[in-house]
Structure formats: structure tokens, C-alpha cells
Amino acid sequence: MKVLIAMDRSPAADLVLAEAAARPWPKDTSFTVINVVDLYRFAGLPALLEEGKRESDQVAAAVKVSAEPLERAGHHAAFHIIEDFPREAIPQYAKEWHADSSNGRSHGHSAVARFLLGSVAQSILRTAPCSVELCAQEQENL
């Protein structure tokens, strides 16, 4: 089984890894943890793209520490940083890697906020070629 875990730089992202580590996966399950440097954030500001890459390196280092429960459970976890648009890159990576499952998180935005802000989670749910599981983080006053 192949499980894709999409991470961002939020504190709640650890929920996704904790949930994955708590599951009784088959012994041959492999995990790939990806972080997508969101090019939309840096559109028109190429000088800031380098800052985004540095942030992603920090996320990757933190994810490796957070993923230790997967490793202790005997599962291999690979890590990749992608520069792209998360809505497109995550489902595309799942397709290319032939993932059986894609795990990520939702910010818990209200329907109005999702409409105004867009939703990476919603896009993954609609376009991923595999089953999708989302851990929700509730946010107030949105």
C-alpha cells in the first residue's frame, strides 16, 4: 500500500502524521510526505520564492522529526518538496506515484470562507485518483 501525506507549515499539520502513525497499516506500506511551496503566494514576487524554499526546507526538517512514529512502527517514509500550486500538485503527485490513499488536513473553514479563499482540501477530494482522508482543524471566526 502507498500512502501520500501532504503537509504544510501549520502547527496542526502534525495531526495528519499522528493519525497516520496511529493506524495499523500493512507491513509493506510505504509513505511519501510532500510539502508544496505554493507558487500562488509568490506570483509576481520572484524574490520571495527563495524565502518560500527556505520555509519548505524548515517544514521538511520538522516533518522528518514528526514522522519518527511512522519509522518506529517499521514504515519507510520518503520526503519531497515540490514547487507548484498545491491544488494541482498534490493530486498529480498521487497519480504519478500511484498512491492508494492521500492524507492531508482541512483548515475547517466555513462554506463562505472556502468559496472566497478556495480550498486545497476540496480540490484534492475532487481530483485525487485515490481515496482521500482529511484531518480537520477547526478555526473560529472565519
Side-chain angles (χ1 to χ4, degrees), residues 38-52:
D38 188 353
L39 294 180
Y40 183 76
R41 276 180 52 200
F42 304 103
L45 302 169
L48 294 180
L49 186 56
E50 286 304 314
E51 180 183 332

Side-chain angles (χ1 to χ4, degrees), residues 7-13 35 41 51-52 55-56 58-59 105:
M7 299 293 296
D8 61 13
R9 60 189 183 106
S10 70
N35 174 254
R41 276 180 52 200
E51 180 183 332
E55 285 180 14
S56 227
Q58 292 170 354
V59 168
R105 72 177 196 89

Side-chain angles (χ1 to χ4, degrees), residues 4 90-99 129-130:
L4 176 63
I90 296 167
Q92 184 62 34
Y93 193 95
K95 181 179 180 181
E96 291 171 3
W97 189 55
H98 304 289
C130 57

Side-chain angles (χ1 to χ4, degrees), residues 4-7 31-37 56 59-60 63-64 76-83 93 97:
L4 176 63
I5 299 175
M7 299 293 296
F31 296 86
T32 294
V33 180
I34 64 171
N35 174 254
V36 181
V37 177
S56 227
V59 168
V63 165
K64 287 180 182 181
H76 173 70
F79 304 92
H80 298 284
I81 297 172
I82 301 168
E83 296 173 22
Y93 193 95
W97 189 55

Side-chain angles (χ1 to χ4, degrees), residues 127-139:
T127 60
C130 57
S131 65
V132 176
E133 182 176 339
L134 298 173
C135 294
Q137 172 198 3
E138 299 209 14
Q139 292 188 1

